[in-house]
Amino acid sequence: MYETLTYVGGVHRHEEMEELIEDLGGFVLQENMLQMDLILTLAVPIEDVEKVKEKAKELLGKVKVAPMAGTEIAVVSPTLARHHLPHAACDIAEYLRRYGAKDNMIGLARGAGKGISRISEEEKQLINEHDLAIFALGSFKHCIKEKTHLFEGINVPVVVTGAPKLRVEELPGATAYVSGFGRIPRRLKRGENIRALKNLVKVVEEILDNRRREMAEDPPLVPPIVIKSEIEHQVHAIKNVYSPTPVTSQLDGVRVKLNYERYHKDIENVKVYEYKLGDIAEIKPSMMYDYILVKLLPETSII
């Protein structure tokens, strides 16, 4: 079993941490460099966590458990246009990254307007490619209630945010509702905003933990982090991808940022232990830039 962690430290001597993770049989899931600070999202065997903490202390860095690491989350706003005040959605996305999540901002093409808001089938399919969706809605109770059609047909867990206090039972199709957000014309830096963000993180972590427990009853043959590592080592075209996290881990697979038509055969032929990836996973084109989506099959569907 692996423990997912976040390491925060300086750029100086950071390669020593990466070498230690490799020596322990772990994986770097995501690497973000912010000026002189480095944030590593990593997975290491549970029994080796203390070794990572000791190295972090030596490098004057910090290590904390990252329960959202290895997940991809969609942060959905009715629109990302300036007049719709997308500050809350942006700060939600930034805050989730601190806990190890890889998130994508999605602005709906026709989502604005209480009575005229719409969501297309293509947008639903894109959202369904993620592990969880957060719908950042507005400040009025009746407006939020009339937009529940936006997450009809979404197959992944849906967390709705808004300003008023609501019971989740009032929002058909939603898994959870978190108040304290809404349309705020500034950054979420005040005390009540930080408390709302922390509450959102708690709710999201609980939902993801429940999904992990459900998947543990019939898990895939190989963990997604192993698939990610094998693709990075065997598919050389990955080295030419300059997008952040060219192979993005999910709870039940990975997203590979290569063109499907050109590279799907290479992905299907990746060797993972004694299997070919195409035999233990469904490999299909993604709705995001024609990338490759790899969804691992549960063990009972293969054996």
Side-chain angles (χ1 to χ4, degrees), residues 125-174:
Q125 291 174 34
L126 175 58
I127 293 169
N128 281 331
E129 292 180 1
H130 295 76
D131 295 311
L132 180 141
I134 297 174
F135 278 75
L137 300 184
S139 300
F140 301 105
K141 185 180 294 188
H142 62 276
C143 182
I144 294 173
K145 286 184 176 180
E146 291 196 22
K147 286 189 174 179
T148 57
H149 62 275
L150 293 180
F151 35 89
E152 288 177 358
I154 303 298
N155 300 325
V156 297
V158 172
V159 178
V160 181
T161 68
K165 292 187 180 297
L166 283 169
R167 292 179 296 108
V168 68
E169 292 79 14
E170 299 178 64
L171 303 174

Side-chain angles (χ1 to χ4, degrees), residues 51-63:
K51 295 179 183 177
V52 175
K53 289 183 178 179
E54 289 172 10
K55 190 64 176 180
K57 188 176 181 180
E58 177 189 332
L59 299 177
L60 304 180
K62 296 180 180 178
V63 170

